[in-house]
Amino acid sequence: MHSFIEKHLKHYSQWDFLVFTLFTIISILNGKTTIFYILYFFWCNEVLRIIIDRLLYKSNSNAILGLSKKPSILPSLFPMGIYFVFIVVFFGFVSSWKNEEITLMNMQILFFKNTFFVLNLIFVAIERILLHRTQQSVIVIFGIFTPNMLILHISIILGALLMFFVVRSFPETFTPSNLWGSVIIIFPFLLIKAFFAYYRQNKKN
């Protein structure tokens, strides 16, 4: 069992992307996904990584400190706090101000009452813990701007552009009662995540 887990963890980038995509698609089909879902997930994903890496990287002999070479998480928490306020206020409330259904859905996601969202986060946490426990080669990065923060930054800009210049420009097509708005906004995020998963795996190899 241990060897089976260790074997598949070597391809954790692909598993991470596949599980994220699966839960997201199921969530879309059940009408439980919004732009806030994606951005808040990326934020929670990075916070979990920072905390788990800080607690466990010393026990992993194959963990490598990247960038600043400093293990302090304080520089990482400051920008994450700014991102949190912006994501919750802008994408949780402002962008859905006239749609009570989406606002309620966003609040369920915010307080971890969305089943698909919670399951996805549980997978992320277990995966990261196992990476360290099985002594996988992993780069641990702390600092004011990490690669995952770059994904989050790009996602926020892209989400705002799609929301205001595509979805809101065609209200007859992207109505609250259909899935097209969610699909057109979320699809680019899947491409971004796929690109970074592919890049990390090739860099590792």
Side-chain angles (χ1 to χ4, degrees):
M1 184 64 180
H2 183 273
S3 60
F4 174 82
I5 293 175
E6 188 172 356
K7 176 183 176 181
H8 287 282
L9 278 175
K10 292 180 179 178
H11 306 284
Y12 72 92
S13 294
Q14 291 95 321
W15 282 109
D16 180 66
F17 171 72
L18 288 174
V19 172
F20 170 76
T21 302
L22 177 62
F23 278 124
T24 301
I25 291 175
I26 294 174
S27 184
I28 291 174
L29 294 176
N30 283 271
K32 299 295 183 180
T33 299
T34 66
I35 181 63
F36 178 73
Y37 178 109
I38 300 297
L39 294 176
Y40 190 50
F41 173 80
F42 286 171
W43 185 89
C44 290
N45 188 353
E46 178 63 357
V47 170
L48 282 174
R49 184 202 65 78
I50 291 170
I51 294 174
I52 292 172
D53 281 355
R54 183 62 186 87
L55 293 174
L56 300 179
Y57 87 95
K58 288 185 177 180
S59 65
N60 182 359
S61 59
N62 293 314
I64 303 171
L65 274 176
L67 296 180
S68 66
K69 304 293 183 180
K70 297 179 180 179
S72 174
I73 65 173
L74 293 180
S76 298
L77 295 181
F78 177 73
M80 291 304 292
I82 295 175
Y83 283 135
F84 176 80
V85 173
F86 187 81
I87 290 171
V88 172
V89 172
F90 187 78
F91 291 99
F93 291 100
V94 175
S95 65
S96 59
W97 188 254
K98 295 182 180 180
N99 192 317
E100 293 183 3
E101 183 180 352
I102 293 181
T103 300
L104 178 60
M105 196 182 304
N106 288 342
M107 293 306 96
Q108 290 175 336
I109 295 167
L110 176 64
F111 294 107
F112 306 105
K113 294 184 178 180
N114 181 298
T115 303
F116 305 105
F117 185 84
V118 172
L119 289 175
N120 212 337
L121 283 183
I122 290 174
F123 173 81
V124 166
I126 293 175
E127 177 190 57
R128 199 69 186 180
I129 291 171
L130 287 175
L131 281 174
H132 289 292
R133 292 302 187 191
T134 57
Q135 303 292 305
Q136 298 297 310
S137 176
V138 60
I139 299 176
V140 176
I141 300 175
F142 305 107
I144 197 167
F145 204 68
T146 67
N148 284 340
M149 288 184 197
L150 176 61
I151 297 177
L152 186 59
H153 197 78
I154 294 173
S155 299
I156 289 174
I157 296 173
L158 182 60
L161 291 175
L162 289 172
M163 177 69 70
F164 289 101
F165 294 102
V166 178
V167 174
R168 289 198 172 182
S169 297
F170 303 96
E172 298 83 7
T173 302
F174 304 108
T175 65
S177 60
N178 64 44
L179 302 174
W180 290 113
S182 297
V183 171
I184 198 171
I185 289 177
I186 290 168
F187 184 68
F189 293 102
L190 296 179
L191 292 180
I192 292 173
K193 197 165 180 63
F195 170 78
F196 275 92
Y198 176 80
Y199 173 78
R200 287 169 180 168
Q201 190 60 40
N202 280 325
K203 187 176 181 180
K204 183 178 178 182
N205 295 334

